[in-house]
Amino acid sequence: MVSRNGRRALAAGAAAVLALGLTACANDSDSGSGSTGGGGGDEQIVMGFAQVGAESGWRTANTKSIQEAAEEAGIELKFSDAQQKQENQIKAIRSYIQQKVDVIAFSPVVETGWDTVLKEAQDAGIPVILTDRAVDSEDTSLYVTFLGSDFVEEGKKAGEWVVEEFGSEPTNIVELQGTTGSAPAIDRKEGFEEVLAGQSNFTVIASQTGDFTRDGGKKVMEAFLQQNPDIDLVYAHNDDMGLGAIEAIEAAGKVPGQDIKIVTVDAVKDGMQALADGKINFIVECSPLLGPQLMEITKTVLAGDSVEPRIVTEETTFTQEQAKEALPSRQY
Ligand code: AHR
């Protein structure tokens, strides 16, 4: 049996990872093709897209990117919002199978439990493209490719900033995790812990899910503050939870970014504004602008051409000074 990480390594090793440049992945909303036909024919391609929900600023930007890119590429989009529930996503995928769409794309709310429905799509001859989040499946033939960020790398970048910022100082860390069982929550935790491992001055004194929402981040942070008088750093798996934590910290009479430092992931506009304002200290970027690549991949797959099994988006990081410079032209 191949482990979860082993499977990922296999998939990544099976073909060179195609790193997509920032200009292509983060700034370009032009799919580069006005053609509407799939598989070489003239008929309009129909895509069923099962979205996670609308839990965060990142997700809103991701939905917009997919809807705009589909329109621009002349692809008919059937879109559903699963409200962060796996059973809703499975229902949506089954309905797309029944409707005989040409391609199914989705961002799995959690990693496990997809094999049955993905097999149903495969049996119906409908290719499946994973975007943003991975599934943890033994059978990688159930999907054509996975387009999205390297979440472990994002966690590592957050950890590296912490090590540089705090050095050998004793540091009490609280962690606001994303949705339990989701790829970004699992991987961002893993990457962060990997960097901090073996450095005894860093202690994660509390770690709990805030479900990637602002409200979740605020509530969990309120509880953390009540239980722990000496918090030095918040590591939030996304900006929204970090923004919720800021509200809780201010309500407790402390200064976010100074009394308690904050590192987050995403770099959506609200997060970048808080970074520029000095309330967040560092952000690791995760680009939601996956729409144009998704449409390109769809056309390639339906034309019968091969695509890389793993397509990684290229991302950067932001300090407070860099956020001030980037904010005026930030798209999302
Ligand atoms: O899967 C991407 C993550 O999902 C984003 O980092 C988070 O904001 C979103 O909810």
Coordinates of all heavy atoms in Angstrom, one line a residue, residues 22-23 25-29 61 64 68 269 289 326-332:
L22 N 3.7 33.4 -12.5 CA 2.7 34.3 -11.8 C 1.9 35.1 -12.8 O 0.7 35.3 -12.6 CB 3.5 35.3 -10.9 CG 3.5 35.0 -9.4 CD1 4.1 36.2 -8.7 CD2 2.0 34.8 -8.9
T23 N 2.5 35.5 -13.8 CA 1.8 36.3 -14.8 C 0.6 35.5 -15.4 O -0.5 36.0 -15.5 CB 2.7 36.9 -15.9 OG1 3.5 35.8 -16.3 CG2 3.4 38.1 -15.5
C25 N -0.7 32.7 -14.0 CA -1.7 32.2 -13.1 C -2.3 33.2 -12.2 O -3.5 33.0 -11.8 CB -1.0 31.1 -12.2 SG -0.3 31.7 -10.7
A26 N -1.7 34.3 -12.0 CA -2.3 35.2 -11.0 C -2.9 36.5 -11.6 O -3.7 37.2 -11.1 CB -1.3 35.6 -9.9
N27 N -2.4 36.8 -12.8 CA -2.8 38.1 -13.4 C -3.6 38.0 -14.7 O -4.2 39.0 -15.1 CB -1.6 39.0 -13.6 CG -0.9 39.2 -12.3 OD1 -1.5 39.4 -11.3 ND2 0.4 39.2 -12.4
D28 N -3.6 36.9 -15.3 CA -4.1 36.8 -16.7 C -5.5 36.2 -16.7 O -5.7 35.0 -16.4 CB -3.1 36.0 -17.5 CG -3.5 36.0 -19.0 OD1 -4.5 36.6 -19.3 OD2 -2.9 35.3 -19.7
S29 N -6.5 37.0 -17.0 CA -7.9 36.4 -17.0 C -8.3 35.9 -18.4 O -9.4 35.6 -18.7 CB -8.9 37.3 -16.4 OG -9.0 38.5 -17.2
A61 N -13.1 34.8 -4.6 CA -12.3 35.1 -5.7 C -12.1 33.9 -6.7 O -12.1 34.1 -7.9 CB -10.9 35.6 -5.3
K64 N -15.3 33.5 -8.8 CA -15.3 34.5 -9.8 C -14.4 34.2 -11.0 O -14.7 34.3 -12.1 CB -14.9 35.9 -9.2 CG -15.2 37.1 -10.0 CD -15.1 38.3 -9.2 CE -15.1 39.6 -10.0 NZ -13.8 40.1 -10.4
E68 N -15.8 33.6 -14.7 CA -15.3 34.5 -15.8 C -14.6 33.8 -16.9 O -14.7 34.0 -18.0 CB -14.5 35.6 -15.2 CG -15.3 36.7 -14.4 CD -14.5 37.8 -13.8 OE1 -13.3 37.7 -13.9 OE2 -15.1 38.6 -13.2
K269 N -7.3 40.6 -0.6 CA -7.2 42.0 -0.3 C -7.4 42.4 1.2 O -6.6 43.2 1.7 CB -8.3 42.8 -1.1 CG -7.7 43.5 -2.3 CD -8.6 44.5 -2.9 CE -8.0 44.9 -4.3 NZ -9.0 45.2 -5.3
L289 N -6.8 32.3 -8.5 CA -7.1 32.6 -9.9 C -6.8 31.4 -10.8 O -5.9 31.5 -11.7 CB -6.4 33.8 -10.4 CG -6.6 35.1 -9.5 CD1 -5.9 36.3 -10.1 CD2 -8.1 35.4 -9.4
A326 N 2.0 46.2 -3.1 CA 1.2 45.3 -4.0 C -0.3 45.7 -3.9 O -1.1 45.4 -4.9 CB 1.3 43.9 -3.6
L327 N -0.8 46.3 -2.8 CA -2.2 46.5 -2.7 C -2.9 47.3 -3.8 O -4.0 46.8 -4.2 CB -2.5 47.2 -1.3 CG -3.0 46.4 -0.2 CD1 -3.1 47.1 1.1 CD2 -4.4 45.8 -0.5
P328 N -2.4 48.4 -4.3 CA -3.1 49.1 -5.3 C -3.5 48.3 -6.5 O -4.5 48.6 -7.2 CB -2.2 50.3 -5.6 CG -1.3 50.4 -4.5 CD -1.1 49.0 -3.9
S329 N -2.6 47.3 -6.9 CA -2.9 46.6 -8.1 C -3.4 45.1 -7.8 O -3.5 44.3 -8.7 CB -1.7 46.5 -9.0 OG -0.7 45.9 -8.3
R330 N -3.7 44.9 -6.5 CA -4.2 43.5 -6.2 C -5.5 43.2 -6.8 O -6.5 44.0 -6.6 CB -4.2 43.4 -4.6 CG -4.3 42.0 -4.1 CD -2.9 41.4 -4.1 NE -3.0 40.0 -3.7 CZ -2.1 39.1 -4.1 NH1 -1.2 39.4 -5.0 NH2 -2.2 37.9 -3.7
Q331 N -5.7 42.1 -7.5 CA -6.9 41.8 -8.2 C -8.0 41.2 -7.3 O -9.2 41.2 -7.6 CB -6.6 40.7 -9.2 CG -6.1 41.2 -10.5 CD -6.0 40.1 -11.5 OE1 -7.0 39.5 -11.9 NE2 -4.8 39.7 -11.9
Y332 N -7.6 40.6 -6.1 CA -8.6 39.9 -5.3 C -8.4 40.1 -3.8 O -7.3 40.5 -3.5 CB -8.6 38.4 -5.6 CG -7.3 37.7 -5.5 CD1 -6.9 37.2 -4.2 CD2 -6.4 37.7 -6.5 CE1 -5.7 36.5 -4.1 CE2 -5.2 37.0 -6.4 CZ -4.8 36.5 -5.2 OH -3.6 35.8 -5.0

